[in-house]
Amino acid sequence: MSYKKKLIEVALPLDAISAESAREKSIRHGHPSTLHLWWSRKPTATARAVIWASLVDDPSSHPDKFPTEEDQQAERERLFGILTELIKWENSNNKNVLEKAKAEIEKSTNGKPPALLDPFTGGGSIPLEAQRLGLKAYASDLNPVAVMINKAMIEIPPRFEGQGAVNPEARAKPIDTWQGALGLAEDVRYYGEWMKQEALKRIGYLYPTVRDEYGQERTVIAWIWFRTVKCPNPACGCEMPLTSSFELSKKKGNETYVCPVISDGEITYELKTGTGAPQGTVNRRGATCVSCGTPIDFPYIRSEGQAGRMGSRLVAVVAEGNNGRLYIPADNEHLQAAQVSRPEEYPDAQIPDNPRDFKTPNYGLKRFADLFTNRQLTALTILCSLVAEAQEKAEADALAAGMEDDALSLAEGGSGARAYGEAIGVYLAFAVDKLADYHSAVCSWNSPRENIRNVFGRQAIPMVWDYAEANPFCNSSGSYNNMLDWVVKCLTRLPGGPQGTARQFDAQSDTGLRNVMVSTDPPYYDNVIYADLSDFFYVWMRQLLKHTYPDVFRTMLVPKSEELVANPYRFDGDKDQARVFFEKGMLEALTQIYISARDDIPVTIYYAFKQNDTREDGNGNEQTVSTGWETILTAIVSAGFQIMGTWPIRTEKPGRTLDIDSNALASSIVLVCRKRPEDAPICTRRDFLNALKRELKPALDKLQSANIAPVDLAQSAIGPGMAVFSRYSKVLEADGTPMSIRTALQIINQELDLYFSEQDSELDADSRFCVDLYTQYAFNELSFGEADVLARAKNTSVDRLAKNGIVDAEKGKVRLLTREEIPEKVDWKSTWLLTQQLTRAMEREGVAGAAKLAAGAVSSEPERARALAYRLYTIAERKGWTGEAYAYNSLVTMWRDIQTAAAELRRRAPEQTTFGFE
Ligand SMILES: C[S@@+](CC[C@H](N)C(=O)[O-])C[C@H]1O[C@@H](n2cnc3c(N)ncnc32)[C@H](O)[C@@H]1O
């Protein structure tokens, strides 16, 4: 098989793609993520870049047009220019930019761009971007919530493209052209507003206003509640509040907190201004009674919760003021308004048995309905019934506006009045579903920002002690208005284009599609258990849309058993069974992808999972492997693919502690795969090792010079290593058995270690000694004798190191000085010291501080310090020294910014280039 090399197999403007992808996290208005929550979405910039670069030929594929390396590079630069413009969020719907990009796709695909399949579509970034680039997109997912998100993005809007709004208000206006989905969006806004007015008529009385200190009526934003249990101290027995914080506002000038007042064993709550809030009563270890000070452990709170004896107490009302939030004590009227009985019917289900992600069942909140107050359940169920009414109205108006009366539903492929009414219903259902995320008794009040946190701030449902019950009819965060607005804005920005298809499908089955391009982002081992989490939304969505899409909502809950995730809870806690299930399923899914994929376009697979298992092998050596990576790579290689390249694309802003603490990664690794030729050679272990030695070092040099975050380096190295391994049909061990992926990964990791230790030889003697000491003792003491032997072996001496302010040597003990203890004066000659000084500057003053040091550089020392920071990160990460790993990771990830700021400092003060450090 010989096919034209695509750009993605040769080069990408990685920095630009990473920068745009990370920037997207802070873009809200109109972004697809605001249509409906989905966990671990891929940025649209990444997806757009990957699809485009997988379709466009690399110039080296056209030696007739670009005979020399220079010609090819010049052409690549031109393509990079197009790509760099294409990925900008602002250009998402820029006709000129899109036309230019599409023209290149046409050129490289003989005018016949392929269809794209994403069998693990989730939040749908990949199919959406395919549609934007003019491809027909097939999106499938096992999860009905994901399927609906994709229908709402790529299936429904093209069906009503250019359709004018049908509501009476819009029809009365003299607008005759409605671009794209603007008509649909306008109708969603209109019927959504109608719903709000109707809901206000029916349940507005449940949300009384409040009077401020001047007697002026104010709209409530939220009611603040503390959960309570009876203090187990028999001498006390008060209804003790459980709260992580008493603070309501940390905003400068508006600091306010709740103050518990204890009198005769009764607790009342006052509001105070200023910064003297008492400590919250619950922390990681347990709770404390505010009245008698008795410490209370979680088992007691759990048993009270399980027995249904956990209460809640209204402690404050937050209202909209003229210049910010107002905090008003709760009175009886507000307490009364909250005393609502449960609606007769409401969507509900048991919370899945998944103690990792759901903490509330421990405290007796075992059903989804338990996560809502009665008032919240009432509002949400009323809104559900109003969606159905709005849908009917929209259908009637659509008929009046002259749309076809073909009685065909959306699910049947209709595009007449009935389907249109249903389409409006889908987007309104999304607004209600989004509201549930902010209208739950596990939403807390965010005192620094003075707004409500949603349920899914993380990929889990935590237990929340102090919760904020939002007013759906206010105009602040968490309101129905806001939810509707997000949905409408997103709809106005959807690209339209060829009719897409979204369907519920198990990726392990044959889609029937052939000769399509495949780009996909499969589940990352056990990282997110989507099916469990999404039940929270599914129960509402099902109630709202089961008549519109009976097939999608045929199950009572999100299907779980086929979900590809290594979830031990589904196997009675058996991790091995969970792994085998994931492994087998992934192989099946990858085999289906192999069958569907066309040969001339690479398959791209996203993966982001940290290598986190460090174990000892039989010889007492530490081996780093990752079951998460092992399973996916085994599936890719066994399905018949070879890895042509990998791209670590940074999708998060740098420097989050999460990067280091969890298995989540700041970068997504995009694996570029091709079908392995049937006649691929077999090789021996030795051949593999030789090839690896040849190819891995330049690849690692490239990664480091691209400034890949240390936290991502190990997984980024897997790509080039596996590219070598997977080009052979088999790598044979000495005994003739084929080498496993696990062994290959171990060898790749050993090579990575070797790469770092070879870098040691470029270090000065003192720094080599320090690295050794750090690896073995961190900043802890060792005996002088031992330190002396180590120092001599590295050609230095403890005395000299002590004189240079690197170690402390006293009373027969030696230890590395910590960053707080090392000298302020910069020492350009010791890479160790400089690395620590730069890291310290970064810790203390951020980029500006580190830049001040780097600006004084007169040699390549800062670059050496950066290289050493990679090494120190790797050591710290493996040893589990999170704080240390975080510090070095931050230094490297901000390196470009440090360099830019340093250059600016040098430009502004050339006379001070050495900054007096020498
Ligand atoms: C990493 S997510 C995809 C995220 C997506 N690229 C985005 O930007 O939102 C993986 C998806 O695989 C889906 N999935 C898990 N098992 C599946 C199966 N057997 N068949 C199809 N989809 C499955 C999950 O529901 C989840 O949406």
Side-chain angles (χ1 to χ4, degrees):
M1 283 185 275
S2 107
Y3 299 107
K4 294 202 177 77
K5 260 200 175 160
K6 299 293 177 181
L7 192 58
I8 199 164
E9 292 170 284
V10 179
L12 279 186
L14 204 54
D15 273 354
I17 300 170
S18 293
E20 276 305 312
S21 302
R23 189 168 78 91
E24 223 176 290
K25 295 272 151 158
S26 45
I27 294 169
R28 303 279 287 146
H29 283 251
H31 193 271
S33 61
T34 61
L35 184 64
H36 195 288
L37 185 139
W38 196 253
W39 304 268
S40 184
R41 268 173 194 273
K42 286 292 144 287
T44 56
T46 311
R48 207 178 293 167
V50 168
I51 297 169
W52 191 79
S54 302
L55 288 168
V56 172
D57 295 342
D58 181 69
S60 61
S61 301
H62 298 277
D64 47 331
K65 287 195 211 146
F66 311 106
T68 67
E69 182 50 47
E70 287 76 45
D71 296 336
Q72 290 168 16
Q73 196 48 36
E75 173 62 0
R76 251 175 235 131
E77 292 300 331
R78 186 186 72 82
L79 293 174
F80 281 5
I82 296 174
L83 185 53
T84 308
E85 284 305 300
L86 177 66
I87 55 179
K88 288 187 182 147
W89 167 251
E90 292 71 18
N91 287 340
S92 299
N93 292 321
N94 180 322
K95 271 211 167 108
N96 286 341
V97 171
L98 287 175
E99 284 317 316
K100 238 179 167 177
K102 285 184 196 173
E104 294 299 331
I105 295 179
E106 295 267 328
K107 225 163 57 183
S108 293
T109 55
N110 293 329
K112 287 194 203 123
L116 174 140
L117 164 69
D118 177 359
F120 294 105
T121 190
S125 308
I126 298 171
L128 180 72
E129 294 313 311
Q131 192 174 61
R132 195 184 309 278
L133 293 172
L135 312 186
K136 169 146 181 70
Y138 291 94
S140 52
D141 201 289
L142 184 69
N143 193 309
V145 177
V147 174
M148 283 314 306
I149 295 173
N150 282 269
K151 283 191 183 292
M153 290 204 307
I154 62 161
E155 195 175 283
I156 300 174
R159 209 174 290 173
F160 300 105
E161 195 155 357
Q163 167 67 48
V166 301
N167 72 72
E169 222 175 60
R171 271 190 285 138
K173 287 187 195 156
I175 302 171
D176 40 46
T177 55
W178 294 85
Q179 300 258 317
L182 289 184
L184 193 61
E186 170 52 24
D187 277 335
V188 173
R189 189 202 57 74
Y190 175 89
Y191 296 104
E193 175 59 25
W194 173 84
M195 274 173 61
K196 181 186 166 189
Q197 295 310 328
E198 281 302 305
L200 267 172
K201 282 185 215 157
R202 298 181 201 184
I203 50 167
Y205 65 93
L206 296 179
Y207 303 93
T209 53
V210 72
R211 293 205 177 266
D212 65 17
E213 55 181 325
Y214 307 106
Q216 197 179 333
E217 202 173 355
R218 299 290 187 177
T219 303
V220 173
I221 295 171
W223 288 268
I224 309 293
W225 299 81
F226 289 168
R227 294 186 195 277
T228 60
V229 285
K230 193 173 153 79
C231 173
N233 174 3
C236 176
C238 75
E239 218 33 56
M240 55 169 273
L242 298 169
T243 180
S244 56
S245 164
F246 283 98
E247 287 171 310
L248 292 173
S249 170
K250 286 192 184 178
K251 228 180 209 156
K252 234 185 161 57
N254 199 27
E255 291 94 343
T256 314
Y257 60 93
V258 179
C259 185
V261 179
I262 300 132
S263 159
D264 289 339
E266 282 293 306
I267 306 175
T268 51
Y269 297 91
E270 288 178 358
L271 299 193
K272 294 205 168 166
T273 51
T275 53
Q279 284 277 319
T281 60
V282 191
N283 60 27
R284 278 167 183 268
R285 291 181 300 280
T288 309
C289 173
V290 275
S291 180
C292 67
T294 302
I296 288 133
D297 58 11
F298 282 121
Y300 172 75
I301 302 172
R302 283 186 200 128
S303 70
E304 287 298 283
Q306 304 268 3
R309 288 195 292 266
M310 189 180 281
S312 36
R313 186 76 187 264
L314 181 62
V315 295
V317 182
V318 190
E320 290 170 356
N322 293 341
N323 297 313
R325 307 290 191 236
L326 298 175
Y327 296 91
I328 296 168
D331 64 14
N332 213 28
E333 184 198 356
H334 287 269
L335 200 56
Q336 290 301 319
Q339 305 303 316
V340 179
S341 44
R342 281 210 157 189
E344 272 175 22
E345 279 184 47
Y346 48 84
D348 192 17
Q350 184 87 13
I351 293 177
D353 174 24
N354 171 350
R356 185 191 82 176
D357 297 340
F358 298 97
K359 300 294 180 213
T360 63
N362 285 337
Y363 302 93
L365 310 179
K366 295 183 173 171
R367 303 189 64 81
F368 281 108
D370 297 336
L371 304 181
F372 300 93
T373 65
N374 287 353
R375 178 160 57 178
Q376 286 170 330
L377 277 183
T378 304
L380 289 167
T381 46
I382 289 282
L383 286 167
C384 283
S385 59
L386 283 168
V387 169
E389 289 180 41
Q391 184 173 317
E392 276 174 28
K393 275 177 81 66
E395 181 178 341
D397 288 342
L399 281 173
M403 279 185 84
E404 203 175 340
D405 185 9
D406 59 5
L408 280 178
S409 70
L410 262 186
E412 289 161 341
S415 54
R418 175 176 170 195
Y420 192 74
E422 287 177 337
I424 300 293
V426 167
Y427 296 102
L428 295 177
F430 275 37
V432 176
D433 228 28
K434 277 172 75 70
L435 194 68
D437 191 26
Y438 283 86
H439 271 253
S440 157
V442 287
C443 293
S444 58
W445 183 250
N446 183 348
S447 56
R449 305 179 77 161
E450 298 190 290
N451 60 14
I452 288 191
R453 293 194 180 94
N454 60 333
V455 174
F456 287 107
R458 292 191 301 119
Q459 296 152 356
I461 298 190
M463 181 63 193
V464 171
W465 308 107
D466 38 316
Y467 62 89
E469 189 184 10
N471 175 4
F473 303 117
C474 70
N475 287 313
S476 304
S477 67
S479 68
Y480 171 80
N481 270 358
N482 265 1
M483 302 305 139
L484 184 64
D485 200 39
W486 292 123
V487 172
V488 171
K489 283 211 177 95
C490 176
L491 201 41
T492 57
R493 284 190 65 105
L494 290 176
Q499 175 70 56
T501 303
R503 60 180 177 143
Q504 192 198 5
F505 207 80
D506 180 356
Q508 299 164 91
S509 316
D510 183 358
T511 53
L513 293 169
R514 296 291 180 273
N515 232 2
V516 291
M517 153 181 201
V518 182
S519 184
T520 196
D521 177 26
Y524 312 148
Y525 200 64
D526 62 355
N527 207 28
V528 184
I529 305 181
Y530 292 92
D532 287 0
L533 297 177
S534 54
D535 271 345
F536 176 88
F537 292 115
Y538 183 79
V539 291
W540 292 101
M541 217 182 232
R542 182 170 191 273
Q543 163 104 347
L544 287 153
L545 297 175
K546 62 181 181 233
H547 300 300
T548 304
Y549 288 107
D551 266 7
V552 176
F553 293 100
R554 67 188 178 282
T555 53
M556 292 302 289
L557 288 168
V558 172
K560 308 232 166 16
S561 55
E562 306 99 319
E563 185 183 35
L564 284 175
V565 61
N567 176 5
Y569 304 121
R570 290 199 198 133
F571 298 93
D572 292 328
D574 187 328
K575 284 191 175 171
D576 276 342
Q577 273 195 49
R579 178 181 52 76
V580 170
F581 168 81
F582 182 80
E583 217 163 61
K584 272 176 134 174
M586 265 305 164
L587 175 57
E588 208 40 67
L590 263 301
T591 306
Q592 294 304 337
I593 288 175
Y594 188 97
I595 295 169
S596 303
R598 51 194 279 170
D599 298 339
D600 58 345
I601 295 169
V603 167
T604 42
I605 299 168
Y606 296 64
Y607 209 66
F609 200 83
K610 209 161 149 180
Q611 291 212 63
N612 58 344
D613 320 341
T614 302
R615 293 178 205 161
E616 277 201 2
D617 67 7
N619 306 321
N621 302 319
E622 276 187 352
Q623 296 281 10
T624 302
V625 286
S626 161
T627 316
W629 271 105
E630 189 188 338
T631 44
I632 185 81
L633 290 169
T634 306
I636 292 173
V637 174
S638 310
F641 288 107
Q642 95 181 74
I643 294 164
M644 309 303 291
T646 41
W647 297 103
I649 298 181
R650 181 152 269 275
T651 53
E652 302 289 339
K653 290 202 193 107
R656 303 177 320 155
T657 343
L658 178 77
D659 300 351
I660 293 158
D661 279 350
S662 74
N663 284 329
L665 275 186
S667 296
S668 276
I669 312 292
V670 178
L671 300 157
V672 183
C673 307
R674 288 265 186 186
K675 294 181 178 177
R676 193 172 41 244
E678 272 161 22
D679 56 357
I682 295 179
C683 80
T684 63
R685 185 184 179 102
R686 178 178 290 272
D687 298 333
F688 169 57
L689 272 170
N690 287 342
L692 199 60
K693 282 195 188 301
R694 256 194 329 269
E695 294 178 38
L696 199 58
K697 184 174 179 311
L700 290 170
D701 283 345
K702 222 163 133 188
L703 284 168
Q704 275 202 7
S705 63
N707 213 46
I708 173 84
V711 63
D712 297 331
L713 188 70
Q715 26 286 313
S716 304
I718 290 175
M722 286 311 296
V724 176
F725 180 84
S726 65
R727 81 168 67 113
Y728 302 106
S729 61
K730 271 183 207 141
V731 175
L732 295 181
E733 297 279 15
D735 64 0
T737 56
M739 181 182 283
S740 68
I741 297 281
R742 167 164 285 245
T743 309
L745 280 176
Q746 281 168 353
I747 294 175
I748 294 167
N749 273 315
Q750 283 160 10
E751 286 300 312
L752 186 66
D753 287 345
L754 210 63
Y755 172 77
F756 281 128
S757 41
E758 276 168 7
Q759 282 185 351
D760 276 5
S761 61
E762 288 164 28
L763 286 175
D764 54 284
D766 289 359
S767 301
R768 280 206 303 271
F769 165 80
C770 293
V771 172
D772 254 19
L773 214 58
Y774 182 74
T775 311
Q776 295 181 51
Y777 301 96
F779 296 100
N780 299 318
E781 283 178 350
L782 73 161
S783 73
F784 182 88
E786 263 179 284
D788 188 48
V789 172
L790 268 179
R792 281 170 201 276
K794 297 285 180 211
N795 232 350
T796 179
S797 76
V798 173
D799 275 358
R800 182 183 133 81
L801 288 154
K803 225 182 278 155
N804 287 346
I806 294 176
V807 300
D808 178 65
E810 270 183 350
K811 298 180 191 153
K813 296 280 179 200
V814 176
R815 67 174 173 86
L816 278 172
L817 289 173
T818 65
R819 284 193 284 284
E820 284 313 308
E821 296 168 318
I822 53 172
E824 293 294 325
K825 188 170 182 291
V826 175
D827 182 346
W828 299 111
K829 289 177 209 90
S830 162
T831 305
W832 168 266
L833 210 47
L834 181 61
T835 310
Q836 296 302 336
Q837 287 169 326
L838 280 165
T839 309
R840 177 177 66 189
M842 188 69 200
E843 285 174 322
R844 285 182 183 168
E845 298 171 69
V847 170
K852 249 190 267 166
L853 293 196
V858 285
S859 64
S860 55
E861 276 305 332
E863 280 307 321
R864 290 212 186 108
R866 182 179 78 116
L868 181 56
Y870 268 106
R871 171 110 163 93
L872 298 180
Y873 169 83
T874 312
I875 296 167
E877 201 252 351
R878 292 206 184 146
K879 301 270 183 189
W881 305 333
T882 310
E884 279 290 293
Y886 179 70
Y888 304 122
N889 189 60
S890 303
L891 180 70
V892 177
T893 46
M894 298 314 287
W895 195 254
R896 292 256 154 84
D897 292 7
I898 295 170
Q899 292 295 72
T900 312
E904 179 58 22
L905 283 177
R906 265 186 236 115
R907 193 185 61 75
R908 275 201 267 143
E911 70 282 5
Q912 288 181 27
T913 39
T914 54
F915 284 78
F917 293 132
E918 293 291 316

